[in-house]
Amino acid sequence: MQQNSEHVNITLKTLIFDLDSGDQETQEQTFTGEWTKKGDIDVLRYKEEVEEAGTIQNMIMIRPERVSIKRTGAIQMNQQFQLGQKTENIYQHMHGNIHMETFVESITFREDTTPRVLDMNYTMKLNGQIERKHQLELQFSTK
């Protein structure tokens, strides 16, 4: 099985739409990390420093029709994004736990471009509250 690791620059953009109010929230973060290709799985690893919380280790595994995001450290989470399915997870942080319910509408991974781009569209409910629509775009390229 072919395996190669490279240092990468990562840009993570999220748009969150409140379907009731029409409000939109946008976030963009940049990181440096490591990318490894293992067969048909792309693995990204990077650290995130959160003010007042500490260090979070992030690992994103991209497979056809499925993405996993695992966070450990100041925040604990192991979220599965499965195309066309509802998944559940507990997001643990310093202020308590949040139940997350996610339904993935689309996952697109363009690995033959520079930068490589992962796009996901999904809806999410936190603690059974109002459902919100999310768009996630993750770009990464070698340094």
Side-chain angles (χ1 to χ4, degrees):
M1 184 182 302
Q2 180 185 2
Q3 180 175 336
N4 56 345
S5 293
E6 296 183 39
H7 292 287
V8 291
N9 293 315
I10 301 166
T11 302
L12 177 61
K13 298 177 188 175
T14 55
L15 280 79
I16 303 170
F17 301 95
D18 185 316
L19 300 173
D20 288 340
S21 69
D23 291 343
Q24 177 178 315
E25 177 184 331
T26 304
Q27 296 178 0
E28 182 171 332
Q29 299 172 288
T30 57
F31 307 98
T32 57
E34 183 178 286
W35 165 70
T36 305
K37 178 78 170 175
K38 298 178 181 180
D40 67 348
I41 303 172
D42 288 83
V43 180
L44 281 174
R45 296 176 197 272
Y46 63 92
K47 291 182 183 178
E48 180 180 356
E49 294 295 330
V50 177
E51 201 172 302
E52 300 177 19
T55 303
I56 302 165
Q57 311 280 339
N58 294 282
M59 181 174 70
I60 300 173
M61 297 178 69
I62 305 167
R63 298 177 182 94
E65 300 186 3
R66 186 173 77 188
V67 174
S68 304
I69 300 176
K70 183 175 183 179
R71 302 176 84 189
T72 57
I75 291 174
Q76 304 280 326
M77 180 182 89
N78 190 1
Q79 181 69 40
Q80 304 296 315
F81 295 87
Q82 182 80 34
L83 184 62
Q85 292 186 12
K86 180 176 84 170
T87 59
E88 297 183 48
N89 173 55
I90 301 294
Y91 179 89
Q92 301 171 342
H93 63 95
M94 63 186 171
H95 299 296
N97 295 340
I98 298 173
H99 178 261
M100 297 167 53
E101 189 177 294
T102 306
F103 180 82
V104 179
E105 298 165 352
S106 68
I107 297 174
T108 305
F109 182 49
R110 296 186 304 276
E111 58 185 315
D112 55 350
T113 61
T114 302
R116 293 173 184 91
V117 180
L118 170 68
D119 286 307
M120 291 196 308
N121 290 292
Y122 56 96
T123 55
M124 180 178 287
K125 282 185 187 179
L126 301 177
N127 286 334
Q129 303 278 321
I130 296 172
E131 188 173 73
R132 299 189 330 168
K133 186 169 181 53
H134 292 239
Q135 291 180 341
L136 178 142
E137 179 184 87
L138 175 73
Q139 298 183 6
F140 62 99
S141 58
T142 55
K143 292 174 129 186

